[in-house]
Amino acid sequence: MIRSNYLFTSESVSEGHPDKVCDRISDEIVDAFFRLGPEHGWNPWDIRCAAETLATTNRVVIAGETRGPKQITRDLIAHLARLAIRDIGYEQEGFHWETAQIDVLLHAQSADIAVGVDAAGNKDEGAGDQGIMFGYACRETPELMPAPIYYAHKILRDLATARKSGDKRLEPDAKSQVTVAYENGKPVRATQIVVSTQHAPGLSSAAVAEIVKPHAIAALPAGWVDDKTIWHINPTGKFEIGGPDGDSGLTGRKIIVDTYGGAAPHGGGAFSGKDPTKVDRSAAYAARYLAKNVVAAGLADRATIQLAYAIGVSEPLAIYVDLHGTGQVDEARLETALRDVMRLTPRGIRTHLDLNKPIYARTAAYGHFGRAADADGGFSWEKTDLVDALKASLGV
């Protein structure tokens, strides 16, 4: 039996959260390889990057494996990390873009991995690893995202815009959490809102609440906040020490924030720092793209799609579709149709979604999904240009 009245909660974290600082640096490295590789004679199809970042008090450590132009030096990568930290807004004694020690420990990609992944002769490019990836879409927001995660992101994006527009009372590190009440299966109001934000020295909790509440209310649909909504603004009190100075950060620790806020399954693989041969990233984008087009085509109100891969193997091992009892077509037929409308090999995904571009740093905060497709190809997996092809394949 499907529940129709319930509460569901999702959280988000800001670009200044320690883990997100690391995601941003890792994705800046991916972008550097796709931006500079072609300038130095490299075919984008041959670029490889798997960059992991650790951040702590005034120190950043970058490790992983890459393949690309020799012009991408350790000094250049350290410089890019500093620029990312500066753009996020860290100029604090415990974490400052100018003074942080940055250690770059990247090395060449393993030859054993390259043999299995690279295209050669009649062999197509294989998946960069085994694993399962999920995509999800629903009708709860215009962007076809679950409401709790969508609005948790929006609160923090609005606060970041205010901070970068000159509100010196706000600092980069922040988290949000929204509990949404569902009635008859539809989101109708926020019952509890949590926002913890780093702030300038000397501000009281009441002063922080006066700053935060108008932004949070504006980020939510009209009528979602009322006198019954419970607020938790900086519930521990003072939050002056934040970012990597307050807590260490690592790439890939916010996989639920990055996706659907817990409203859909997750295969466990992180995105940031990975080039699109890594199906943890590219196939998750493809699964979201397919799920969104299924819902946009009116074939279901909710759709979960799973893809499965083996390292070095091109074709997905399996495709699974769950329409959660809202489908207008048979799920088995839809599984076949998805293969008809998009080639789901790593190369097919990269080609269809045009992923061999420096489009990744912008994904590092506020979710990889539910964002508008950019003119230069960013967030291409958010397009709904498969609607007609899906309908034609299914004969509907």
Side-chain angles (χ1 to χ4, degrees):
M1 181 177 178
I2 298 175
R3 292 184 65 188
S4 58
N5 299 317
Y6 56 93
L7 303 177
F8 194 84
T9 305
S10 294
E11 71 157 347
S12 180
V13 297
S14 72
E15 64 204 78
H17 185 280
D19 295 333
K20 282 294 154 196
V21 172
C22 295
D23 284 347
R24 170 70 179 273
I25 292 170
S26 293
D27 273 338
E28 290 286 359
I29 296 168
V30 178
D31 281 357
F33 276 88
F34 279 114
R35 184 169 53 250
L36 298 177
E39 293 180 11
H40 295 286
W42 275 75
N43 186 330
W45 291 97
D46 296 328
I47 295 294
R48 299 290 184 268
C49 184
E52 308 287 348
T53 303
L54 161 72
T56 186
T57 302
N58 230 29
R59 187 165 187 179
V60 173
V61 180
I62 302 167
E65 59 174 27
T66 64
R67 187 172 76 191
K70 63 182 180 181
Q71 289 83 359
I72 301 180
T73 63
R74 292 184 177 185
D75 286 345
L76 175 59
I77 289 171
H79 176 66
L80 293 173
R82 291 190 194 282
L83 293 181
I85 296 166
R86 182 178 69 179
D87 183 64
I88 291 168
Y90 277 112
E91 295 185 339
Q92 302 166 9
E93 182 178 351
F95 196 69
H96 197 295
W97 66 272
E98 284 187 308
T99 60
Q101 177 181 335
I102 300 179
D103 301 321
V104 181
L105 307 176
L106 294 168
H107 59 79
Q109 184 192 42
S110 162
D112 291 344
I113 293 176
V115 167
V117 174
D118 290 353
N122 293 324
K123 175 186 175 296
D124 196 1
E125 182 179 281
D129 202 351
Q130 71 176 50
I132 56 174
M133 300 85 210
F134 288 91
Y136 181 75
C138 62
R139 295 196 182 281
E140 294 178 17
T141 64
E143 294 75 12
L144 304 185
M145 284 289 287
I149 186 65
Y150 179 79
Y151 293 114
H153 287 323
K154 197 169 188 300
I155 289 170
L156 293 185
R157 293 190 78 167
D158 287 2
L159 286 173
T161 298
R163 173 174 62 85
K164 292 185 173 183
S165 297
D167 192 334
K168 302 299 183 183
R169 300 170 297 176
L170 297 169
E171 297 288 356
D173 194 0
K175 300 180 79 171
S176 67
Q177 190 167 286
V178 179
T179 299
V180 174
Y182 286 74
E183 295 179 3
N184 298 318
K186 299 183 182 300
V188 295
R189 59 183 294 268
T191 63
Q192 305 215 30
I193 299 171
V194 184
V195 180
S196 295
T197 182
Q198 186 184 10
H199 57 83
L203 284 182
S204 66
S205 295
V208 174
E210 288 181 5
I211 299 167
V212 168
K213 281 187 175 183
H215 288 288
I217 292 170
L220 294 166
W224 271 38
V225 177
D226 56 29
D227 56 3
K228 295 181 180 179
T229 301
I230 299 171
W231 293 85
H232 306 274
I233 309 296
N234 281 15
T236 62
K238 186 169 66 173
F239 186 4
E240 294 178 7
I241 300 172
D245 188 31
D247 194 6
S248 62
L250 288 170
T251 300
R253 284 205 299 198
K254 289 293 176 284
I255 60 176
I256 300 303
V257 170
D258 284 344
T259 53
Y260 308 103
H266 196 297
F271 301 157
S272 291
K274 298 176 180 178
D275 74 74
T277 64
K278 283 68 172 174
V279 285
D280 277 343
R281 180 171 220 161
S282 57
Y285 290 173
R288 161 63 179 174
Y289 175 63
L290 294 173
K292 186 173 184 181
N293 276 272
V294 166
V295 174
L299 303 176
D301 292 333
R302 294 172 59 200
T304 298
I305 294 174
Q306 183 201 59
L307 304 175
Y309 291 85
I311 188 168
V313 178
S314 298
E315 294 289 341
L317 308 185
I319 300 175
Y320 168 77
V321 174
D322 183 358
L323 301 181
H324 305 278
T326 70
Q328 303 300 309
V329 295
D330 178 72
E331 287 153 330
R333 285 184 62 212
L334 184 54
E335 289 164 0
T336 300
L338 296 178
R339 288 185 184 267
D340 292 339
V341 300
M342 182 179 180
R343 192 168 181 225
L344 293 169
T345 64
R347 180 171 285 265
I349 293 170
R350 291 170 78 183
T351 300
H352 192 107
L353 297 179
D354 200 12
L355 298 181
N356 291 341
K357 288 182 174 182
I359 55 173
Y360 296 104
R362 71 193 74 170
T363 69
Y366 312 118
H368 292 244
F369 307 129
R371 312 272 289 271
D374 291 339
D376 66 351
F379 300 101
S380 59
W381 48 93
E382 291 298 313
K383 293 180 179 179
T384 54
D385 53 2
L386 279 185
V387 166
D388 291 341
L390 273 171
K391 289 181 176 179
S393 179
L394 291 163
V396 297

